[in-house]
Amino acid sequence: MTVPVTIRIQDADFDIAAETAAMTKGRTDIGAVVSFTGLCRGIEGDDTVTALTLEHYPGMAEEEIQRHAEEALRRWPAVTALTIVHRVGRLVPGDNIVLVLAASAHRQAAFAAAEFLMDYLKANAPFWKREERSGESRWVEAHSRDDAALARWSKD
């Protein structure tokens, strides 16, 4: 059976419950769904963030996310479904940014796959982020902590 993988990049918000229901509808092989939702923070360090704008290269971003979803399926063959939704455009604090759902018969594979995918999305996914703070706008540089989180998967 082919494992269903849903990948969407969109401006619109997403509904976590609806995404979970769509993933599990009619499926009796799923015993666990692990979800991660990333939100736009209003504080970064000691500064207030008023908005975050995410941009991507259409087609390339989806292809890269698909490649990493396939890697997760190779690493954790017990995973039975994946959904990845990433928003683009201007977001304000409290808005949803990203959703990763991983399903499996038992929780272990779903947890590992979801964590692996989020580490990839934070460190290497082809998105560009611009923060608005204190009346100015700046592009966000990559964080070494995200690279370190991703690097641990190369040891597997």
Side-chain angles (χ1 to χ4, degrees):
M1 177 180 149
T2 302
V3 174
V5 175
T6 300
I7 297 169
R8 287 195 323 274
I9 299 175
Q10 61 192 43
D11 293 326
D13 198 4
F14 51 81
D15 180 321
I16 300 161
E19 297 292 342
T20 303
M23 172 188 267
T24 59
K25 184 177 182 173
R27 302 281 305 265
T28 59
D29 59 327
I30 294 175
V33 175
V34 170
S35 69
F36 174 87
T37 307
L39 305 172
C40 181
R41 287 185 306 276
I43 296 182
E44 184 63 36
D46 294 332
D47 206 357
T48 300
V49 175
T50 56
L52 177 67
T53 300
L54 289 111
E55 298 179 7
H56 76 300
Y57 192 109
M60 183 182 93
E62 292 89 344
E63 187 177 303
E64 279 297 299
I65 294 169
Q66 178 69 39
R67 196 167 60 82
H68 283 80
E70 290 168 4
E71 175 66 20
L73 295 175
R74 277 191 295 278
R75 287 175 180 242
W76 298 281
V79 169
T80 55
L82 291 171
T83 295
I84 303 162
V85 181
H86 206 298
R87 293 185 64 197
V88 292
R90 188 172 188 270
L91 306 169
V92 295
D95 283 350
N96 291 319
I97 298 174
V98 62
L99 173 66
V100 172
L101 299 175
S104 61
H106 304 282
R107 70 183 183 278
Q108 292 87 354
F111 271 115
E115 191 171 14
F116 168 79
L117 288 166
M118 269 315 304
D119 285 346
Y120 157 71
L121 288 167
K122 280 296 286 178
N124 285 344
F127 292 96
W128 295 273
K129 301 172 189 171
R130 190 175 65 239
E131 283 182 341
E132 295 174 32
R133 299 182 188 199
S134 305
E136 46 184 58
S137 178
R138 69 175 184 85
W139 292 102
V140 177
E141 298 291 325
H143 295 285
S144 59
R145 67 180 176 262
D146 296 329
D147 292 334
L150 183 61
R152 69 193 170 108
W153 297 107
S154 64
K155 298 172 187 168
D156 289 2

